[in-house]
Amino acid sequence: MSRSIGAIAIIAVALAATACVADPPAAQRVSNSHAAETLGKAAVPADLNGKTVQLSYDAGSGGTITFSTDGRTVTYTAADTGRRTSTPVAVEAIEAGIFLVTWTDDTGAVVSQVQDYRTGRVEGTWTRRDGSGQPVIETRVGSVHLTD
C-alpha cells in the first residue's frame, strides 16, 4: 500500500510539473509608448560617452552633465550656483536607453542616478555626511534629456 501511495505521489508531482510547462505565463512586454524602438535615436543613446545632458529636479534646480568621450569622467555644473565639478564616473547600461550613473561631487557626496532616456525621467540618491558626521541620504526625481 505504501508503495502505491509513493507511486501516486510521484505521478501527481510529474503531472503538476507538466502542467506548469504546458501553460507558461505570457512574456512581460514594455508598452509601445515606452519601448526604445519607438523613440528617435537622439532620445535613446547607446552610451553616454561625449554626451551632454540637462537635469531638472522636481524639488529644485538641477544642472548640466557632460560625459567625457571615453566615458571615464563627468563634469557637473549646478544650475543654481554655477558650481562646476569634474570627477570620475561609473556608467552602467541597465537596458536600451536606461543607465545607472554614479559619481562623487566636490562636497564628497556620492551621487547615484537612474537616467531613463526612454521616459525622460531621472531618479537618484545623494549620500553624504552632515556636520556631525552622520550619514544623510537625499532622494531626488526629475527629468533628464540630451542637449547635444
Side-chain angles (χ1 to χ4, degrees):
M1 174 92 172
S2 66
R3 201 171 189 186
S4 305
I5 294 173
I8 292 172
I10 290 173
I11 292 171
V13 169
L15 288 173
T18 303
C20 291
V21 172
D23 191 19
Q28 298 290 320
R29 296 206 30 99
V30 175
S31 71
N32 282 339
S33 63
H34 289 99
E37 305 83 43
T38 64
L39 301 173
K41 288 184 180 182
V44 184
D47 61 42
L48 297 175
N49 299 353
K51 305 278 194 253
T52 299
V53 300
Q54 181 67 45
L55 298 169
S56 299
Y57 301 112
D58 294 348
S61 66
T64 303
I65 298 176
T66 303
F67 294 89
S68 64
T69 56
D70 65 4
R72 294 181 174 192
T73 60
V74 65
T75 300
Y76 175 76
T77 305
D80 55 352
T81 64
R83 186 181 86 242
R84 191 175 171 107
T85 303
S86 291
T87 185
V89 66
V91 178
E92 291 293 327
I94 297 172
E95 60 182 70
I98 303 176
F99 301 91
L100 174 62
V101 181
T102 305
W103 74 92
T104 302
D105 75 9
D106 61 349
T107 67
V110 176
V111 181
S112 188
Q113 299 180 334
V114 174
Q115 298 178 357
D116 186 342
Y117 293 90
R118 299 180 315 174
T119 63
R121 297 295 294 164
V122 62
E123 295 184 30
T125 60
W126 279 250
T127 307
R128 61 179 175 80
R129 301 239 177 231
D130 66 11
S132 66
Q134 295 298 311
V136 175
I137 300 174
E138 299 173 25
T139 59
R140 297 181 191 163
V141 295
S143 63
V144 61
H145 67 275
L146 297 171
T147 61
D148 59 0

